[in-house]
PDB file of all heavy atoms in Angstrom:
ATOM      1  N   GLU B 339       7.923 -33.007 -32.852  1.00 97.00           N
ATOM      2  CA  GLU B 339       6.519 -33.424 -32.762  1.00 97.00           C
ATOM      3  C   GLU B 339       6.418 -34.811 -32.140  1.00 97.00           C
ATOM      4  O   GLU B 339       7.339 -35.612 -32.258  1.00 97.00           O
ATOM      5  CB  GLU B 339       5.900 -33.491 -34.153  1.00 97.00           C
ATOM      6  CG  GLU B 339       5.557 -32.148 -34.748  1.00 97.00           C
ATOM      7  CD  GLU B 339       4.846 -32.300 -36.088  1.00 97.00           C
ATOM      8  OE1 GLU B 339       4.785 -33.425 -36.626  1.00 97.00           O
ATOM      9  OE2 GLU B 339       4.338 -31.283 -36.582  1.00 97.00           O
ATOM     10  N   VAL B 340       5.286 -35.073 -31.508  1.00 97.00           N
ATOM     11  CA  VAL B 340       4.967 -36.452 -31.158  1.00 97.00           C
ATOM     12  C   VAL B 340       3.788 -36.897 -32.003  1.00 97.00           C
ATOM     13  O   VAL B 340       2.871 -36.128 -32.282  1.00 97.00           O
ATOM     14  CB  VAL B 340       4.604 -36.647 -29.662  1.00 97.00           C
ATOM     15  CG1 VAL B 340       5.852 -36.651 -28.792  1.00 97.00           C
ATOM     16  CG2 VAL B 340       3.595 -35.628 -29.177  1.00 97.00           C
ATOM     17  N   GLU B 341       3.847 -38.137 -32.436  1.00 97.00           N
ATOM     18  CA  GLU B 341       2.699 -38.745 -33.096  1.00 97.00           C
ATOM     19  C   GLU B 341       2.071 -39.707 -32.096  1.00 97.00           C
ATOM     20  O   GLU B 341       2.790 -40.444 -31.401  1.00 97.00           O
ATOM     21  CB  GLU B 341       3.152 -39.512 -34.341  1.00 97.00           C
ATOM     22  CG  GLU B 341       1.972 -40.074 -35.125  1.00 97.00           C
ATOM     23  CD  GLU B 341       2.406 -40.992 -36.264  1.00 97.00           C
ATOM     24  OE1 GLU B 341       3.566 -40.888 -36.711  1.00 97.00           O
ATOM     25  OE2 GLU B 341       1.580 -41.824 -36.669  1.00 97.00           O
ATOM     26  N   VAL B 342       0.764 -39.681 -31.995  1.00 97.00           N
ATOM     27  CA  VAL B 342       0.078 -40.602 -31.087  1.00 97.00           C
ATOM     28  C   VAL B 342       0.032 -41.983 -31.735  1.00 97.00           C
ATOM     29  O   VAL B 342      -0.489 -42.123 -32.846  1.00 97.00           O
ATOM     30  CB  VAL B 342      -1.349 -40.111 -30.776  1.00 97.00           C
ATOM     31  CG1 VAL B 342      -2.059 -41.096 -29.854  1.00 97.00           C
ATOM     32  CG2 VAL B 342      -1.316 -38.722 -30.153  1.00 97.00           C
ATOM     33  N   LEU B 343       0.618 -42.966 -31.047  1.00 96.00           N
ATOM     34  CA  LEU B 343       0.607 -44.329 -31.574  1.00 96.00           C
ATOM     35  C   LEU B 343      -0.604 -45.096 -31.059  1.00 96.00           C
ATOM     36  O   LEU B 343      -1.206 -45.885 -31.773  1.00 96.00           O
ATOM     37  CB  LEU B 343       1.886 -45.061 -31.178  1.00 96.00           C
ATOM     38  CG  LEU B 343       3.196 -44.429 -31.677  1.00 96.00           C
ATOM     39  CD1 LEU B 343       4.395 -45.236 -31.184  1.00 96.00           C
ATOM     40  CD2 LEU B 343       3.201 -44.330 -33.195  1.00 96.00           C
ATOM     41  N   GLY B 344      -0.935 -44.846 -29.803  1.00 95.00           N
ATOM     42  CA  GLY B 344      -2.086 -45.560 -29.256  1.00 95.00           C
ATOM     43  C   GLY B 344      -2.551 -44.905 -27.962  1.00 95.00           C
ATOM     44  O   GLY B 344      -1.774 -44.220 -27.297  1.00 95.00           O
ATOM     45  N   VAL B 345      -3.828 -45.078 -27.646  1.00 94.00           N
ATOM     46  CA  VAL B 345      -4.346 -44.555 -26.384  1.00 94.00           C
ATOM     47  C   VAL B 345      -5.045 -45.687 -25.639  1.00 94.00           C
ATOM     48  O   VAL B 345      -5.649 -46.561 -26.256  1.00 94.00           O
ATOM     49  CB  VAL B 345      -5.342 -43.389 -26.593  1.00 94.00           C
ATOM     50  CG1 VAL B 345      -4.691 -42.258 -27.377  1.00 94.00           C
ATOM     51  CG2 VAL B 345      -6.600 -43.859 -27.297  1.00 94.00           C
ATOM     52  N   ASP B 346      -4.904 -45.640 -24.331  1.00 91.00           N
ATOM     53  CA  ASP B 346      -5.639 -46.577 -23.481  1.00 91.00           C
ATOM     54  C   ASP B 346      -6.412 -45.719 -22.489  1.00 91.00           C
ATOM     55  O   ASP B 346      -5.950 -45.444 -21.383  1.00 91.00           O
ATOM     56  CB  ASP B 346      -4.647 -47.516 -22.774  1.00 91.00           C
ATOM     57  CG  ASP B 346      -5.363 -48.507 -21.871  1.00 91.00           C
ATOM     58  OD1 ASP B 346      -6.579 -48.328 -21.629  1.00 91.00           O
ATOM     59  OD2 ASP B 346      -4.699 -49.440 -21.392  1.00 91.00           O
ATOM     60  N   ALA B 347      -7.575 -45.236 -22.936  1.00 85.00           N
ATOM     61  CA  ALA B 347      -8.328 -44.254 -22.161  1.00 85.00           C
ATOM     62  C   ALA B 347      -8.673 -44.801 -20.771  1.00 85.00           C
ATOM     63  O   ALA B 347      -8.622 -44.084 -19.775  1.00 85.00           O
ATOM     64  CB  ALA B 347      -9.599 -43.848 -22.911  1.00 85.00           C
ATOM     65  N   ALA B 348      -9.010 -46.087 -20.689  1.00 88.00           N
ATOM     66  CA  ALA B 348      -9.395 -46.665 -19.399  1.00 88.00           C
ATOM     67  C   ALA B 348      -8.246 -46.560 -18.395  1.00 88.00           C
ATOM     68  O   ALA B 348      -8.448 -46.186 -17.244  1.00 88.00           O
ATOM     69  CB  ALA B 348      -9.797 -48.127 -19.602  1.00 88.00           C
ATOM     70  N   ALA B 349      -7.045 -46.863 -18.852  1.00 89.00           N
ATOM     71  CA  ALA B 349      -5.892 -46.813 -17.945  1.00 89.00           C
ATOM     72  C   ALA B 349      -5.231 -45.438 -17.925  1.00 89.00           C
ATOM     73  O   ALA B 349      -4.275 -45.221 -17.187  1.00 89.00           O
ATOM     74  CB  ALA B 349      -4.876 -47.877 -18.362  1.00 89.00           C
ATOM     75  N   GLY B 350      -5.725 -44.497 -18.745  1.00 89.00           N
ATOM     76  CA  GLY B 350      -5.144 -43.151 -18.765  1.00 89.00           C
ATOM     77  C   GLY B 350      -3.752 -43.117 -19.343  1.00 89.00           C
ATOM     78  O   GLY B 350      -2.949 -42.269 -18.965  1.00 89.00           O
TER      79      GLY B 350
END
Side-chain angles (χ1 to χ4, degrees):
Chain B
E339 284 184 350
V340 282
E341 185 187 338
V342 179
L343 300 179
V345 303
D346 180 349

